[in-house]
Amino acid sequence: MNKKDDMIGTRRDFFKKFSLIGGGIAAGGAALYSGYNYEQSKPDHNYVKVLTADNKLVEVPKDSIREVKVDVTMLQKRGREGLKGHRWTWVIDLSRCKNARKCVEACQSAHHLRPYEYHITTLIMQQRVDTPAYFMPKPCQHCDNPPCVEVCPVNATFKRQDGVVLIDNERCIGCRFCMAACPYSARIFHWEDPVKEEEDRGKPYNVELNIPQRKGTITKCLMSSDRLREGKLPYCVSACPNSVYYFGDENEDCVTNGTTKETVRLSELLKVNGGYHLMEELGTKPRIYYLPPKNRNYDFPGPEAENGYKEGKT
């Protein structure tokens, strides 16, 4: 082998060794860069407490929290907006209520409630021991200053522009803050699976009808918002056989009796009969008016019927 061949071999060996060294340096650099990125992207294991949809308090890594955009369906969107240009109101004539329970039955049927689940509670009232007792239907008062809306942490209960207060059970977490805040005890909690769970399975949720119902959430009177959208009177108003309920639009100053279908001036009805709000001193500004039980067209059933009512026998 001559000198020229030795020089060529030496150069080849040099470049081969240089390539190995360079490759090692590059691999090491890549490893260092990868390690740096890993350190920078390591999760911050600070934990925060979160209330889950099934009402459980859990801890999750802070860096794992992601904002969830609520998918508002058409039914929920229009349900939250309400009916523009209206201010719905209700008048209950206490001189006519006989506790026929037809209003309660119609409400329970429409909203898929059990016989012991009420959106309308019928109370037995008596001003003094020497005055006769009377029946008093008590639904949600749909207040214009509703304390239930103020305390809801997830905007599940809300006030619409047309005066109706509703609950969105797609958002309700069952915390029951609204139940505690309501001075009228107008809300109930679903402790059990819905009575028509199988029948309602797969149906789109309608916030104006509150169907399908859902265990672990709140329900209450909805002022039959689904019927109002169709230009009809509420379920309870239409079902009453004793002319107890008037329903209408305060903006138009008129209400219609659900039994006789007679339409009268709201302002005149309240003025002539001494209409009032329930517990108006609380400042909740209810949308439900009551007419006092004067000139009643029936006699109260008496102690025996009263006891039967209290035991749920009527």
Side-chain angles (χ1 to χ4, degrees):
M1 184 179 292
N2 57 34
K3 189 175 181 180
K4 185 178 180 180
D5 290 336
D6 290 340
M7 291 178 64
I8 293 173
T10 302
R11 284 198 300 268
R12 286 176 179 170
D13 291 341
F14 171 77
F15 284 118
K16 190 180 293 183
K17 291 176 182 177
F18 180 78
S19 299
L20 290 173
I21 293 171
I25 292 173
L32 288 172
Y33 181 72
S34 177
Y36 172 78
N37 277 346
Y38 172 74
E39 289 298 324
Q40 292 297 313
S41 63
K42 280 177 64 176
D44 178 6
H45 291 296
N46 292 331
Y47 285 82
V48 295
K49 291 181 173 61
V50 176
L51 191 64
T52 64
D54 56 354
N55 207 25
K56 292 180 181 178
L57 188 64
V58 299
E59 287 188 339
V60 298
K62 187 176 181 180
D63 62 312
S64 298
I65 297 177
R66 298 290 181 270
E67 182 181 357
V68 178
K69 300 294 184 182
V70 179
D71 182 21
V72 181
T73 64
M74 180 272 293
L75 289 174
Q76 288 171 301
K77 186 174 185 296
R78 75 177 191 180
R80 282 185 172 266
E81 291 174 350
L83 299 173
K84 294 181 180 179
H86 297 282
R87 292 291 289 173
W88 305 114
T89 191
W90 211 341
V91 181
I92 301 176
D93 189 347
L94 298 178
S95 68
R96 296 181 175 275
C97 183
K98 299 180 180 180
N99 194 31
R101 313 291 286 171
K102 297 301 181 183
C103 60
V104 174
E105 292 170 6
C107 176
Q108 290 172 330
S109 175
H111 302 299
H112 298 183
L113 302 175
R114 287 181 168 81
Y116 50 83
E117 295 175 328
Y118 302 107
H119 283 180
I120 303 175
T121 304
T122 308
L123 305 177
I124 295 176
M125 304 294 289
Q126 191 171 18
Q127 302 299 332
R128 300 196 315 249
V129 292
D130 58 343
T131 59
Y134 58 92
F135 292 114
M136 181 179 187
K138 184 178 64 64
C140 168
Q141 302 294 299
H142 295 275
C143 307
D144 282 342
N145 184 27
C148 55
V149 172
E150 295 297 322
V151 300
C152 179
V154 293
N155 194 28
T157 187
F158 57 96
K159 177 77 174 178
R160 303 197 321 188
Q161 60 183 334
D162 57 5
V164 183
V165 175
L166 293 182
I167 302 173
D168 183 350
N169 277 348
E170 292 292 293
R171 304 195 68 165
C172 179
I173 59 174
C175 65
R176 289 172 279 172
F177 290 175
C178 60
M179 293 182 68
C182 176
Y184 304 102
S185 301
R187 295 170 174 240
I188 61 174
F189 184 77
H190 281 306
W191 293 99
E192 305 171 79
D193 290 324
V195 65
K196 294 189 177 182
E197 183 177 20
E198 292 300 323
E199 179 182 327
D200 292 338
R201 192 181 303 278
K203 290 183 179 179
Y205 176 68
N206 186 351
V207 70
E208 292 186 330
L209 189 58
N210 205 15
I211 288 178
Q213 299 276 3
R214 191 157 62 92
K215 181 180 179 180
T217 60
I218 308 298
T219 186
K220 71 170 193 70
C221 163
L222 311 170
M223 208 182 271
S224 299
S225 298
D226 59 314
R227 298 264 293 183
L228 302 183
R229 189 168 293 281
E230 298 173 358
K232 300 177 181 178
L233 292 172
Y235 297 103
C236 53
V237 175
S238 299
C240 176
N242 297 317
S243 301
V244 175
Y245 298 108
Y246 293 84
F247 190 88
D249 190 342
E250 192 172 41
N251 287 346
E252 298 178 354
D253 191 31
C254 65
V255 288
T256 300
N257 187 279
T259 307
T260 65
K261 302 302 185 286
E262 178 188 9
T263 299
V264 299
R265 286 289 180 191
L266 172 64
S267 55
E268 187 69 16
L269 182 68
L270 298 177
K271 180 180 178 181
V272 171
N273 294 282
Y276 65 94
H277 291 304
L278 180 62
M279 298 162 64
E280 57 187 340
E281 68 275 8
L282 298 179
T284 54
K285 301 179 181 179
R287 298 209 59 74
I288 311 296
Y289 290 95
Y290 285 92
L291 304 183
K294 61 178 183 179
N295 303 321
R296 281 182 285 177
N297 57 357
Y298 72 97
D299 293 326
F300 191 80
E304 292 183 1
E306 179 177 333
N307 291 335
Y309 172 75
K310 286 181 178 179
E311 296 170 6
K313 295 180 181 178
T314 58

